[in-house]
């Protein structure tokens, strides 16, 4: 009883300390609250939105408020059937704490003063003072070269395409409603636009294993192979291009394999094992993850894609040269985002801070 009481009191003291610290930061202006407006950072950060439910498979999908004027039955991103219906009321926008602490870096989400005088907006910082920003095939170019993200940066920007949560030995992902994977976003159900093929994909999964594990992930012509001896091999169109030997974690590990930014990356439990440059890949029709061996299973297998950066309709391909004190910001939901592609660069001192967790 005394141990339980002591634990409870310790928890209450810690909670009060956190609340007091947060209140102090709010009073000092180091932390400020805000609500997300619009769809420019969806699906990660959402303004007011709906949720639709598929009558065929039962899956739920977030949709923009504009989706209410789309077809009565929307395509379901999980099963492909045109049987997803908006059944509930408008859901409130995500609410955030904004931290003024620290200096934002490239790929950080930031809160800035909107140049069109509409208050604060949330965007992603991609270009820094003195750089030239452009786009090519969905990639971000800085000074004419593709910016290759670290594993942590890939995780920060990746967009979920599909998932298989159960235990399986083989998981196959194929495009829903299209011949190849594209930059389509179900959130934008009311938007009619040209879809762009994407080859910057990632597979993540939890791999449990016993003896004689053999695992592979194939993203188009790129194949990541892994054996219980700790040998990892990267192949391109059947030809090995890189390999490494390490010791696998016992029993289970988290696997991530990606082809973002013309770079092949294989990571085990968050540690990069293999990394190798890739030529520009063509459209991807098929992604597969397979494990074999006694007790070997895949779980929480998820397919992701990279953000696809493009020029807005009516804007000719060009570059933006940033002056001293200028930065370039983009929305993650590029088809609908109003950002530096239309505004031009913004002043770095117009950045208020970085969004933290909701409230």
């Amino acid at each position: 009883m005394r141990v339980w009481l002591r634990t409870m009191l310790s928890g209450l003291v810690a909670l009060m300390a956190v609340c007091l610290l947060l209140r102090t930061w709010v009073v000092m202006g180091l932390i400020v609250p805000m609500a997300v407006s619009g769809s420019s950072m969806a699906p990660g950060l959402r303004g007011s939105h709906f949720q639709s439910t598929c009558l065929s498979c039962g899956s739920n999908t977030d949709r923009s408020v504009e989706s209410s004027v789309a077809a009565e039955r929307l395509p379901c991103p999980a099963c492909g059937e045109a049987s997803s219906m908006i059944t509930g009321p408008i859901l409130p926008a995500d609410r955030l704490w904004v931290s003024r602490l620290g200096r934002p870096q490239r790929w950080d989400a930031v809160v800035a003063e909107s140049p069109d005088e509409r208050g604060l907006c949330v965007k992603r910082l991609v270009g820094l003072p003195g750089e030239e920003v452009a786009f090519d095939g969905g990639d971000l170019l800085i000074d004419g070269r593709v910016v290759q993200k670290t594993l942590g940066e890939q995780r920060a920007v990746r967009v979920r395409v599909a998932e298989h949560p159960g235990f399986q030995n083989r998981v196959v992902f194929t495009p829903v409603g299209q011949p190849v994977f594209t930059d389509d976003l179900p959130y934008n159900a009311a938007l009619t636009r040209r879809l762009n093929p994407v080859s910057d994909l990632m597979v993540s999964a939890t791999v449990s294993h016993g003896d004689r594990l053999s695992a592979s992930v194939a993203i188009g012509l790129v194949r990541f192979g892994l054996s219980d001896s700790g040998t990892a091999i990267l192949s391109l169109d059947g030809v090995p291009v890189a390999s490494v030997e390490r010791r696998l974690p016992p029993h289970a590990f988290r696997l991530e394999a990606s082809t973002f930014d013309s770079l092949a990356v294989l990571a085990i439990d968050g540690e990069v094992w293999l990394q190798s440059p890739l030529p520009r890949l063509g459209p991807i029709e098929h992604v597969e993850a397979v494990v074999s061996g006694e007790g070997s299973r895949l779980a929480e297998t998820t397919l992701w894609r990279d953000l696809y950066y493009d020029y807005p309709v009516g804007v000719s391909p060009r570059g933006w040269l940033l002056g001293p004190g200028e930065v370039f910001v983009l929305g993650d939901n590029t088809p609908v985002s109003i950002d530096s592609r239309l505004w031009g660069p913004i002043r770095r001192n117009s950045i208020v801070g970085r969004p933290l967790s909701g409230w």
Side-chain angles (χ1 to χ4, degrees):
M1 183 66 178
R2 290 182 179 178
V3 173
W4 176 84
L5 183 60
R6 189 181 301 115
T7 302
M8 184 183 69
L9 290 175
S10 298
L12 288 174
V13 170
L15 180 60
M16 291 174 64
V18 170
C19 292
L20 181 60
L21 182 62
L22 183 60
R23 181 178 181 276
T24 301
W25 284 349
V26 170
V27 170
M28 294 175 62
L30 299 178
I31 300 286
V32 295
M34 73 166 289
V36 176
S37 176
S39 302
S40 71
M41 290 296 286
L45 296 174
R46 305 155 302 179
S48 299
H49 59 285
F50 289 102
Q51 191 170 80
S52 67
T53 301
C54 180
L55 303 181
S56 297
C57 69
S59 64
N60 295 321
T61 305
D62 289 336
R63 311 280 187 171
S64 69
V65 291
E66 293 81 10
S67 300
S68 61
V69 301
E72 181 180 351
R73 297 199 175 190
L74 302 169
C76 173
C79 68
E81 297 293 328
S83 57
S84 188
M85 298 184 63
I86 295 173
T87 55
I90 294 179
L91 300 175
D94 293 334
R95 297 178 178 272
L96 307 171
W97 291 108
V98 182
S99 170
R100 297 179 184 267
L101 302 172
R103 189 177 183 85
Q105 305 299 316
R106 193 189 325 274
W107 300 121
D108 282 346
V110 296
V111 175
E113 298 170 358
S114 177
D116 57 15
E117 299 182 352
R118 295 183 180 179
L120 298 179
C121 62
V122 187
K123 305 294 178 185
R124 193 169 298 278
L125 177 61
V126 301
L128 303 174
E131 296 179 338
E132 183 177 19
V133 177
F135 314 112
D136 182 32
D139 290 325
L140 171 70
L141 303 185
I142 296 295
D143 298 332
R145 302 182 63 180
V146 175
V147 179
Q148 295 179 328
K149 306 178 193 69
T150 66
L151 177 63
E153 290 166 346
Q154 291 184 19
R155 291 172 176 167
V157 305
R158 64 189 181 184
V159 179
R160 188 190 310 271
V161 176
E163 63 181 329
H164 289 268
F167 291 92
Q168 300 172 69
N169 291 98
R170 180 172 180 260
V171 173
V172 175
F173 294 102
T174 54
V176 174
Q178 301 290 334
V180 298
F181 290 103
T182 72
D183 65 339
D184 188 23
L185 190 63
Y187 193 88
N188 298 333
L191 182 66
T192 300
R193 68 178 180 95
R194 175 179 59 86
L195 299 178
N196 299 291
V198 297
S199 56
D200 291 16
L201 299 173
M202 173 190 284
V203 173
S204 65
T206 298
V207 180
S208 56
H209 65 97
D211 296 330
R212 300 186 180 183
L213 168 69
S214 176
S216 68
V217 173
I219 301 175
L221 299 177
V222 180
R223 183 181 182 277
F224 303 86
L226 191 62
S227 69
D228 61 351
S229 65
T231 301
I233 300 176
L234 170 67
S235 302
L236 178 62
D237 200 11
V239 179
V241 296
S243 64
V244 68
E245 290 192 8
R246 305 283 289 275
R247 176 171 294 183
L248 278 175
H251 311 306
F253 57 88
R254 189 68 179 166
L255 178 148
E256 292 167 294
S258 70
T259 57
F260 283 22
D261 310 317
S262 298
L263 185 69
V265 174
L266 174 67
I268 303 297
D269 281 345
E271 181 182 358
V272 174
W273 278 31
L274 272 179
Q275 184 168 291
S276 180
L278 293 171
R280 173 151 288 180
L281 303 175
I284 305 294
E285 303 174 359
H286 180 94
V287 175
E288 181 178 61
V290 180
V291 296
S292 62
E294 183 179 352
S296 298
R297 293 289 187 274
L298 294 164
E300 301 173 337
T301 310
T302 306
L303 178 66
W304 313 82
R305 67 166 175 87
D306 196 2
L307 297 175
Y308 191 98
Y309 291 127
D310 201 0
Y311 297 93
V313 175
V315 175
S316 300
R318 53 160 295 186
W320 290 266
L321 183 60
L322 310 185
E326 291 184 333
V327 295
F328 204 87
V329 295
L330 296 171
D332 289 355
N333 191 359
T334 52
V336 304
S337 177
I338 298 175
D339 47 40
S340 286
R341 296 170 301 164
L342 297 172
W343 298 328
I346 66 171
R347 301 296 301 175
R348 188 163 197 161
N349 59 16
S350 70
I351 294 178
V352 175
R354 290 176 293 180
L356 303 177
S357 58
W359 55 281

